[in-house]
Amino acid sequence: MYLALKYRLSSRLLIAQWASHDDDKCYVERFEFSGADWKPLSKDAVGNLEACYKPIEENL
């Protein structure tokens, strides 16, 4: 399993980049923290599994 996270302590945004071996794709998913829960904002396939070896910034 591959997972990378990008966040700032001063922000409610969390960006997760992860590899799905079920469909051989790399995904970038965005979440917003409401103070109690994480709300999914978007989920994008950014390429095959190899794309997950790039930094998140390159896949945005």
Side-chain angles (χ1 to χ4, degrees), residues 2 17 26 46-55 59:
Y2 173 88
Q17 177 172 280
C26 178
V46 295
N48 61 19
L49 293 177
E50 303 301 317
C52 277
Y53 291 108
K54 295 179 185 177
N59 286 327

Side-chain angles (χ1 to χ4, degrees), residues 27-48:
Y27 291 95
V28 172
E29 197 163 1
R30 293 162 188 84
F31 299 89
E32 180 183 27
F33 187 62
S34 69
D37 298 321
W38 289 99
K39 175 185 170 190
L41 299 175
S42 66
K43 178 181 172 183
D44 301 303
V46 295
N48 61 19

